[in-house]
């Protein structure tokens, strides 16, 4: 007899997000390392940081979309529609994060702490949007 354990959807979404965050950090590091080693850029060079951030975020977003579609939400719907909506959510979350961190920067705590709070709230919003609109 085989016992199957069903992982709740929100837990699968959380695991997917953590895996994607790990991939984001890994690729940021690898792209930064390549830029420093092969292009001779300084580790603090703004162009290198921007390129590493964008490159890593693209890779981690593709991984996140794929895991969420197949495993977290088990969607069988049209991928092109979901990709388009996921891309809109990606841009909206990035803009909302920047805007909200800026808006709350008057508070006498570090912007890193503000960002943690804001991005945690956006995590829950993202789950709802993906569940109700993207992968429904």
């Amino acid at each position: 007899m085989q016992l199957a354990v069903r992982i709740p959807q929100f837990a699968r979404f959380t695991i997917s997000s953590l895996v994607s965050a790990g991939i984001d950090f890994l690729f940021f590091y690898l792209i930064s390392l390549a830029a420093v080693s092969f292009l001779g850029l300084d580790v603090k060079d703004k162009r290198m940081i921007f390129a590493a951030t964008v490159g890593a975020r693209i890779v981690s977003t593709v991984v996140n979309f794929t895991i969420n579609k197949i495993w977290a939400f088990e969607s069988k719907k049209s991928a092109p529609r979901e990709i388009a909506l996921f891309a809109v959510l990606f841009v909206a979350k990035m803009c909302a994060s920047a805007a909200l961190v800026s808006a709350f920067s008057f508070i006498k705590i570090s912007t890193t702490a503000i960002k943690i709070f804001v991005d945690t709230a956006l995590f829950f919003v993202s789950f709802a949007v993906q569940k109700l609109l993207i992968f429904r």
Side-chain angles (χ1 to χ4, degrees):
M1 182 167 94
Q2 188 176 18
L3 181 63
V5 175
R6 180 89 173 124
I7 300 171
Q9 188 177 56
F10 186 74
R12 288 179 286 163
F13 177 78
T14 302
I15 293 166
S16 171
S17 296
L18 292 171
V19 167
S20 298
I23 288 170
D24 191 70
F25 289 122
L26 174 65
F27 274 81
F28 179 85
Y29 173 75
L30 293 174
I31 294 168
S32 299
L33 184 64
V36 170
S37 299
F38 300 118
L39 301 176
L41 294 176
D42 183 90
V43 72
K44 302 274 185 180
D45 186 295
K46 288 180 175 41
R47 295 168 301 169
M48 188 280 306
I49 293 169
F50 180 77
T53 298
V54 171
R57 191 57 49 96
I58 288 169
V59 172
S60 67
T61 298
V62 169
V63 169
N64 187 250
F65 171 83
T66 303
I67 294 172
N68 284 350
K69 177 173 178 50
I70 294 168
W71 186 58
F73 295 101
E74 299 175 334
S75 174
K76 308 283 190 249
K77 305 276 190 215
S78 167
R81 175 193 168 279
E82 292 171 338
I83 290 168
L85 291 172
F86 199 85
V88 170
L89 176 64
F90 168 78
V91 171
K93 278 189 340 183
M94 194 167 33
C95 292
S97 177
L100 290 169
V101 170
S102 293
F104 289 116
S105 64
F106 71 92
I107 300 173
K108 301 286 189 224
I109 59 174
S110 75
T111 53
T112 302
I114 293 168
K115 181 161 177 53
I116 290 169
F117 174 77
V118 164
D119 285 358
T120 299
L122 289 173
F123 171 79
F124 290 103
V125 171
S126 178
F127 174 75
V129 168
Q130 289 181 60
K131 180 181 174 94
L132 300 173
L133 297 175
I134 298 175
F135 298 114
R136 58 184 167 95

